[in-house]
Amino acid sequence: MPTSKGRLLLLHGPNLQLLGSREPSIYGTATLADHVQRATATAQRLGYEVDSEQSDDLATLIGIVQTAGTKYAGIVLNAAAFTHFAWSLHDALKSVGLPVVEVHLSNPAAREPWRHESVIAPVAIGTVAGFGGESYVLGIEALTRHLEKQ
Ligand code: DQA
């Protein structure tokens, strides 16, 4: 087995454990486990290991981010609705200083006005949105390219 280039964190916010049955006309029918499996396979093909965590609880997500600096090379984050207002998550990401790729299954910019602001975007290296499960795969690819050009 080739040496791992590093470990990546896939982090998921509230209600994303409901994917598969949650508003399938917007989010599709694949489950969170399906998305994690595809993203993990992509990361492994590129030489990286992946851990995946989901929580509905903002404090839990902040705690995970606060300790991520010693474990991970970067984060692919779908903060779900926390994207639009959770400045405490923004601050935690800023403090830890890891490269973050923001991902969304849907394209929040094309949806209700309250989804148009992202408090994650200012602390992310970039955003992938609107490609369904491909957003996670593209997010992993973008993060690994960023890590390898550093
Ligand atoms: C989402 C978009 C958010 O606006 C929403 O609150 C979600 C999912 C997405 O992946 O498209 O829960 O992050």
Side-chain angles (χ1 to χ4, degrees), residues 13-16 19 22 26-27 78-84 103-108 111-112 114-115 129-130 136:
N15 301 307
L16 294 174
L19 290 173
R22 177 190 177 198
I26 296 173
Y27 298 116
N78 185 348
F82 290 150
T83 303
H84 311 299
V103 299
H104 300 284
L105 296 151
S106 68
N107 178 6
R111 298 180 63 192
E112 303 94 316
W114 64 268
R115 295 186 202 270
Y136 287 102

Side-chain angles (χ1 to χ4, degrees), residues 14-36 54 78 105 132-133 136:
N15 301 307
L16 294 174
Q17 79 279 34
L18 303 177
L19 290 173
S21 59
R22 177 190 177 198
E23 299 182 87
S25 60
I26 296 173
Y27 298 116
T29 53
T31 64
L32 184 60
D34 295 333
H35 296 308
V36 170
Q54 185 278 330
N78 185 348
L105 296 151
Y136 287 102

